[in-house]
Structure formats: structure tokens, C-alpha cells
Amino acid sequence: MKALFLGSVVERSGKSMVTLGLAKNYPRRVGYFKPFKEVVMSVEDRVVDQDAYLMHEALGLPFGPEALSPFTYDVFEPVGMASILEEYRKLSAGADLMLVEGTRDITTGCMGSVSGMAIAQKVQADVVLVSSAQISALDKICMLRSYMDQYPLSFKGVVLNQVEDARMPRLLERRGIRVLGSIPPLRELKRFSVREVADAVGAEVLVGGAGMDDPVERVMVGAMTPETALDQMRRVSRKAIITGGDRADIQMAALSTDTSCLVLTGGLYPARSVVNRASEAGVPVLVTPLNTLEASEAVDHLIARIDPLDPGKIDLIAKVVRENVDLDAVYGEGGAFRA
């Protein structure tokens, strides 16, 4: 059995997307394990890791999401490596390939001797880092590569995600770090519906209707003057505006532009004029008890979410990974993989 450890050094790297794409392109039986829960969700009154739920549903795995991601990292009472290995062995039974997904930072768990690198070493997994194509992330990869020399690891290389500048992969290659793939930005994977925004922020829907199924492609926080806000909002279409429920000036400015929904924070209800204008324009108005920062973070997590019940998006992920990642190099022993 072969094992791959998928790690990252920054948030929203696209690690789960790449993991799913690798799994969908592998021609034999795939197993999945994510030792530590991160972003959790409620499923039938159970709290499970979001990525584990995605993999369970999208790959039809025989183990439930609780088993796929069983632990929570607590630096004061860390789970022991023996427990992690015990769960790994259960999940890997019968698999031809095990995909082990780390946390958003591969160094998490170092204080408890259960970092991503330590886990990869113990399960004898090849390491693939997934990263967004940002200079700060590339610096961390370069530093981490030197640190990896302390572990007897098989480091395959890096898959860069959301690559807009072709020079980025070359920066790593100059430092002797192999780039296994370079994935361009995909707007389709960042698109979600107004209804999903409402669920993410626990909102009361004041104005709904057909607009609840409209797509959201960008998110803006309205915390500036109306003049500045209007100038910026005119440049962005299909957006969700997150602003205080008492900011009628920002709300009316947003409704004069291409806006998918208003997310009003602090549990504050808008003025009647805003409700009337939104109703006329068919723009949903969502009122959430969260403050603006909390609402923004909730929607940020939504941006990174892949709906396991969206086969079109999952097929797109498989296609993008297949076309932009060197599967021979990732799967094969020295590049000998053939589907």
C-alpha cells in the first residue's frame, strides 16, 4: 500500500481540493484519514470535520466522517501518536492508496510530537505540500524544506494553487524544490449561493424569493464612507455585502449596484426604505446576530467549502487536477504511475 501525506503552510491553500482531485483520479481503492478536525459542521446532530464529510460523501468511503477525522488537537492534552496510528491502520485496511490530510499548517502538533511531519514519518507516507501561489507562502515552503531534513521523509514536492503569475513555480524550482503542479484560479470553485450564505451566518431572511438561489462570487465588507463604498462596489458584480444593520447609507449604495445579497450584522434590522428597495430589486436581505468580523469569517470558510452534493463541481476538480498536476510524479515510485 502506498501513502501520501497532503500538507500545507497557509490557510485556504486548496489542500482539500487537491486531495479530492487526487482521490478521484486514482484508478484503484483509495482510503482517507485526517487525524485532526479543523472546520466542523453539524450533520444529523453530529459534529464532524467538514473535509472528512466531503471525502466520505464524494468518494463513497465505508467509514463515517467521525472515523475519518477522529481527534481534536489540544496542546495541553495532545493525543498520542499510538492512538493516531491505531486509527490509521483501521482506515487503511484494503486500500491501495491512503491519502492523509494534514491541518492548515503542517507544523501544528509539534509541541505534542504529532506534527504533520511526524505523522507522515510514522505512517511512511510521501509528503506533498499544497500552497497558494503567494510570496509569503513560498517563503514558508522554502524554510520548511530545510527543516524537513531533520526527518527521514520522502518529500515529493509542491502543488501550487491559484497561480496567476507563471514566475511563481520557477521561484521554488530555483531553490531545488520540485513543483508537481500549477493550478490556475477557478472562479467556478469560489461561487456559492445566497442560500448558502444565509445558512453560514445563521441569518433571518427578511427579503428572500428567487434571489436566494442567485450566485455569490465576491464578498465585500461595507465599513467605509458611502462615497468610497459606492466607487468600489461598482467594480464588483455578484457580490455579498456584509455591513452593520444600522448602515442604511452603505445598504442603499449596494442596492444601486450588482449585488447578490445584503448581510446585515449585529442583529440590527434595516430601515423600511432599505427593505422596500431590496424587495423591488429582488435582492435578499439577511440579518445575522454575528458581528461583522464573525460574519466575514463564516463566509470565508464557505468560500473554501466544496459541496459534496455538487457533482459538477467535483467533476471539475478531478479534471483540473488531472490536467494540471503530474500524477505520474505524485503517485509513482520515481514517476512510474500509470492509470
Side-chain angles (χ1 to χ4, degrees):
M1 181 193 68
K2 187 173 184 60
L4 287 174
F5 184 93
L6 283 298
S8 61
V9 295
V10 291
E11 288 191 69
R12 288 185 282 279
S13 63
K15 171 170 52 64
S16 298
M17 181 196 80
V18 172
T19 302
L20 178 60
L22 292 176
K24 296 296 286 185
N25 281 292
Y26 194 73
R28 295 181 284 279
R29 183 176 174 184
V30 175
Y32 173 84
F33 180 44
K34 183 179 181 182
F36 298 119
K37 298 182 184 72
E38 289 185 290
V39 179
V40 297
M41 60 186 296
S42 177
V43 178
E44 298 176 352
D45 297 324
R46 297 171 296 150
V47 176
V48 300
D49 179 80
Q50 182 174 288
D51 294 329
Y53 177 72
L54 166 65
M55 299 301 172
H56 172 259
E57 295 292 317
L59 302 178
L61 298 176
F63 300 96
E66 298 98 329
L68 297 177
S69 186
F71 304 114
T72 300
Y73 180 66
D74 183 343
V75 68
F76 296 105
E77 296 183 18
V79 62
M81 183 65 77
S83 297
I84 293 173
L85 294 178
E86 180 181 357
E87 296 304 314
Y88 173 81
R89 293 188 188 102
K90 293 177 186 176
L91 298 174
S92 62
D96 298 298
L97 171 71
M98 274 299 289
L99 296 175
V100 183
E101 184 175 356
T103 59
R104 59 178 61 98
D105 189 329
I106 196 171
T107 63
T108 297
C110 186
M111 291 291 292
S113 301
V114 288
S115 70
M117 288 174 288
I119 293 171
Q121 179 186 356
K122 288 294 184 180
V123 303
Q124 299 181 331
D126 295 335
V127 175
V128 174
L129 291 179
V130 182
S131 177
S132 55
Q134 302 170 338
I135 294 297
S136 58
L138 301 193
D139 280 335
K140 290 180 180 179
I141 291 171
C142 186
M143 180 177 66
L144 182 65
R145 178 65 189 93
S146 299
Y147 181 63
M148 280 183 179
D149 290 337
Q150 298 183 37
Y151 290 84
L153 291 173
S154 171
F155 176 52
K156 286 278 189 176
V158 177
V159 175
L160 289 178
N161 189 33
Q162 301 182 54
V163 179
E164 297 181 284
D165 189 335
R167 296 175 297 175
M168 290 297 190
R170 293 198 291 271
L171 290 176
L172 289 179
E173 289 167 346
R174 286 189 203 130
R175 298 304 300 265
I177 298 172
R178 186 176 188 180
V179 177
L180 300 165
S182 183
I183 300 174
L186 297 171
R187 291 182 64 188
E188 298 91 335
L189 297 184
K190 294 184 178 181
R191 182 180 298 167
F192 42 91
S193 69
V194 173
R195 193 177 307 278
E196 289 177 285
V197 174
D199 291 342
V201 299
E204 175 186 351
V205 180
L206 288 189
V207 179
M212 293 297 292
D213 295 315
D214 285 349
V216 176
E217 296 181 358
R218 294 281 298 277
V219 178
M220 298 182 67
V221 175
M224 64 286 282
T225 66
E227 295 77 14
T228 301
L230 184 58
D231 180 60
Q232 294 185 12
M233 288 188 289
R234 282 173 174 160
R235 304 175 189 175
V236 180
S237 60
R238 294 183 175 181
K239 58 189 174 291
I241 299 294
I242 301 177
T243 191
D246 56 350
R247 290 298 304 271
D249 50 355
I250 297 292
Q251 297 157 23
M252 292 299 283
L255 292 171
S256 68
T257 68
D258 185 356
T259 297
S260 295
C261 67
L262 295 178
V263 180
L264 309 185
T265 61
L268 300 174
Y269 291 89
R272 173 54 57 183
S273 58
V274 172
V275 175
N276 291 340
R277 179 71 186 94
S279 298
E280 293 170 0
V283 175
V285 178
L286 316 175
V287 177
T288 174
L290 303 179
N291 62 40
T292 300
L293 178 59
E294 291 169 335
S296 298
E297 289 177 344
V299 178
D300 275 347
H301 288 308
L302 182 62
I303 292 172
R305 176 176 173 266
I306 301 168
D307 187 350
L309 302 180
D310 187 341
K313 187 172 286 188
I314 291 173
D315 288 345
L316 174 62
I317 288 169
K319 178 175 182 288
V320 165
V321 169
R322 184 167 59 250
E323 292 178 350
N324 295 280
V325 176
D326 186 347
L327 297 181
D328 281 352
V330 172
Y331 291 132
E333 298 292 343
F337 171 78
R338 288 292 182 272

